[in-house]
Amino acid sequence: MNITYFENNMEKPAILGGTPVRDSKIYYGRQCIGEDDIKAVADVLRGPFITCGPKVTEVEKELAQYTGAKHAVVVSNGTAALHCACIAAGIGPGDEVITTPITFAASANCALYCGARPVFADIDPETYNIDPKSIREHITPATKAIVAVDFTGQAVKIKEIRAICDEYGLIFIEDAAHAIGTKYDGKQVGSLADMTCFSFHPVKTITSGEGGAITTNNEELYRKLVLAHAHGITRDDAEMEEAPHEGIWYYEQISLGYNYRMTDFQAALLISQLGKLDSFIERRKQIVCQYNEAFKDLQGIILQKEIEESDTCRHLYIIRLDLDKLTCTRRQFFDAMSAENVQCQIHYVPVYWFPHYKRLGYAKGLCPKAEEIYKGIMSIPLYPMMSDKDVTDVIKAVKKLVAYYIKK
Ligand SMILES: Cc1ncc(COP(=O)(O)O)c(C=O)c1O
């Protein structure tokens, strides 16, 4: 067969004037809000407490129950959750915090907020999660904590990271912004690290608009988290340092904290969303199965490997372009997907490539595997409200472009 035969028979990409696989744009992620969610929020807005009220307490109980952790503290967003976790861990100037470069900047920024230095360990090139071997190579006497990110929703190698933390006396902070609903060795993410941080941003598996939470089994860390997210203020007589309890108005600020509180109407939305989490997980898993099946033997595409211990509720579905087998660049493929009306996203630019990090002395080349993986990755649409047609359209678009760009 010669090249002309292929070209005549191939569907032309929309970016080159062909017909797009669909008429309307589909995005890589979006929230799933129903009338019941809206009612839950409206009920709180009509009531007496829109912040510091009973819904916050209720959602904290539910989150602790769901994850199997002893305690949960809800906060204004996932970034605040990471900041509070670093404060509770006692991270400060002179400390180092090991994390992954393939993450949202907040996973590293939380160390900077505390005056500490983020240190980037390289990733496993098959799972894209932080590699415990690389963590070991980056430990110094200044290392205080590990912020391990369950990237795309897949749990990190928790057992190995726990062992490293125990060996070196480090605090294990799991950044599970992508991973609510994921289990590791049969246990819910949220109950396994010293502290686990969640995000409830709209593209995440469940949302409260903006929102976050930290779960922990440790009483001392819990007490510090409560203080960190609400001005360092206590109303508990037992914790007060100066005055005896003068009256119900009296409180004491006993440490430096922030206002990272979640409102009651956000908490109501989160309670409502938690009620649907199992159905969201099921639908996400169905879509992931369809994608895996469709792409498993597709030359030109590499799929993310799953470790056996992780029963993953995937937040992101990543295809990695095998650029040696394709005639296009990642940018060309990405733009061609957009022209097919499938809007992808890239998760993530290695954090230390950003100008802010460059100014702090970080340079390209720190984590060669992460940098190599970054060149080819692309997140395709994944959210529970995708219809069967949406899913087949995405598959069609990927296959159409791979067929066009594959080296013959
Ligand atoms: C891995 C990771 N960590 C932390 C965050 C921060 O969460 P938020 O956007 O709720 O502040 C995000 C959000 O995108 C994230 O993806």
Side-chain angles (χ1 to χ4, degrees), residues 115-408:
R117 185 168 177 81
V119 171
F120 295 96
D122 213 341
I123 60 168
D124 176 324
E126 293 190 317
T127 65
Y128 316 150
N129 267 338
I130 195 166
D131 182 352
K133 259 192 270 142
S134 184
I135 293 178
R136 281 186 181 277
E137 287 162 12
H138 286 85
I139 289 173
T140 73
T143 309
K144 181 98 181 190
I146 296 170
V147 174
V149 180
D150 300 322
F151 178 58
T152 73
Q154 172 170 211
V156 286
K157 290 191 167 165
I158 292 179
K159 205 168 54 183
E160 286 85 339
I161 296 173
R162 178 79 271 164
I164 294 171
C165 288
D166 291 346
E167 190 178 331
Y168 292 93
L170 310 177
I171 304 266
F172 182 2
I173 300 172
E174 189 174 356
D175 180 345
H178 298 182
I180 192 147
T182 290
K183 290 181 184 157
Y184 176 90
D185 258 350
K187 293 192 186 109
Q188 287 290 344
V189 158
S191 61
L192 299 158
D194 292 314
M195 288 174 279
T196 306
C197 299
F198 296 99
S199 163
F200 306 119
H201 177 274
V203 294
K204 302 299 189 314
T205 301
I206 52 173
T207 187
S208 51
E210 295 278 358
I214 315 104
T215 54
T216 184
N217 291 322
N218 181 304
E219 297 298 329
E220 183 62 15
L221 291 174
Y222 171 63
R223 201 180 72 85
K224 289 180 177 168
L225 290 168
V226 170
L227 289 171
H229 94 298
H231 308 283
I233 281 174
T234 184
R235 287 190 159 75
D236 181 351
D237 278 2
E239 284 189 326
M240 290 191 193
E241 293 172 20
E242 295 293 334
H245 203 304
E246 294 183 17
I248 58 164
W249 69 87
Y250 188 75
Y251 56 79
E252 266 181 12
Q253 187 194 340
I254 57 171
S255 61
L256 184 62
Y258 296 79
N259 180 356
Y260 283 158
R261 290 189 303 253
M262 179 183 274
T263 66
D264 267 51
F265 50 93
Q266 288 173 303
L269 178 53
L270 195 56
I271 292 167
S272 181
Q273 291 262 302
L274 264 172
K276 299 186 236 189
L277 178 53
D278 286 346
S279 67
F280 289 167
I281 293 170
E282 197 184 320
R283 180 65 183 143
R284 280 181 180 271
K285 284 184 171 175
Q286 267 173 6
I287 299 169
V288 166
C289 276
Q290 279 172 273
Y291 283 160
N292 284 345
E293 193 52 36
F295 304 139
K296 69 177 196 283
D297 297 321
L298 194 61
Q299 288 289 307
I301 298 290
I302 301 166
L303 296 186
Q304 185 182 359
K305 192 180 153 197
E306 185 99 12
I307 57 168
E308 251 174 42
E309 302 91 309
S310 183
D311 174 2
T312 305
C313 169
R314 217 169 263 286
H315 155 55
L316 298 172
Y317 192 96
I318 292 198
I319 55 171
R320 181 177 165 216
L321 304 182
D322 192 349
L323 292 166
D324 291 340
K325 296 197 174 130
L326 299 168
T327 59
C328 62
T329 61
R330 191 255 307 265
R331 173 71 194 267
Q332 283 167 331
F333 197 96
F334 184 94
D335 290 345
M337 287 290 281
S338 304
E340 300 297 335
N341 280 323
V342 178
Q343 192 57 58
C344 300
Q345 183 53 284
I346 308 298
H347 297 95
Y348 292 95
V349 177
V351 173
Y352 59 79
W353 282 16
F354 289 129
H356 184 74
Y357 279 83
K358 202 170 159 191
R359 283 193 288 275
L360 293 174
Y362 297 82
K364 285 192 178 179
L366 273 182
C367 299
K369 289 174 190 156
E371 293 184 16
E372 183 56 32
I373 295 301
Y374 164 68
K375 287 184 199 157
I377 52 178
M378 190 177 305
S379 307
I380 61 174
L382 175 62
Y383 53 88
M385 270 160 62
M386 284 177 79
S387 67
D388 290 342
K389 181 179 177 305
D390 291 336
V391 178
T392 27
D393 283 349
V394 174
I395 293 171
K396 265 190 217 158
V398 172
K399 287 191 165 178
K400 174 180 170 181
L401 297 180
V402 168
Y404 187 82
Y405 289 118
I406 197 86
K407 283 182 182 163
K408 315 278 179 339

Side-chain angles (χ1 to χ4, degrees), residues 33-89:
I33 300 290
E35 286 306 316
D36 49 346
D37 295 315
I38 294 168
K39 183 176 180 312
V41 173
D43 286 349
V44 171
L45 290 175
R46 289 191 188 97
F49 300 107
I50 61 171
T51 195
C52 302
K55 289 291 173 194
V56 166
T57 316
E58 192 180 327
V59 79
E60 286 178 340
K61 258 192 207 142
E62 288 201 11
L63 270 172
Q65 210 165 16
Y66 182 82
T67 56
K70 277 197 190 137
H71 303 286
V73 179
V74 289
V75 290
S76 46
N77 53 64
T79 306
L82 286 163
H83 189 189
C84 287
C86 287
I87 294 168

